[in-house]
Amino acid sequence: QVQLVESGGGSVQAGGSLKLSCAASHYIFSGCGMAWHRQPPGKEREFVSSISSDGITNYADSVKGRFTISRDNAENMVHLEMNSLKPEDTAWYYCTSTSRWCPDIFGKWGPGTRVTVFS
């Protein structure tokens, strides 16, 4: 069974950095667009960033200039480097695929990784 697994979350002081990673068990997603979403406490899940199979990136305005999405197809992983973290970045972070031709992971979510930013 294919499963997305996020990792790298933790607690960090405002202004700090974290790097999240997303991997897929039993699945090679080099041909899939991938994205990170997050769900802050008490709020709906929201888009954070995406990267196409050929490396085109997109960011939510709230994270633009602070977060960087990347992919390592050799390692079959997608990363989200988060700098200058703010308390409002506190959320559960999830990865998913944006490509319908990757049905095993398109619109699917892993368990998430928790990010807490304290002031």
Side-chain angles (χ1 to χ4, degrees), residues 38-46 86-94 113-117:
R38 67 186 181 187
Q39 186 164 15
K43 297 184 179 181
E44 297 292 317
R45 192 170 297 184
E46 63 185 20
K86 303 175 181 180
E88 50 263 44
D89 295 318
T90 294
W92 280 90
Y93 284 72
Y94 304 87
T113 188
R114 184 173 182 175
V115 172
T116 302
V117 184

Side-chain angles (χ1 to χ4, degrees), residues 10-30:
S11 294
V12 63
Q13 193 168 18
S17 300
L18 284 172
K19 185 175 182 178
L20 308 184
S21 298
C22 170
S25 61
H26 311 295
Y27 196 88
I28 296 175
F29 57 60
S30 58

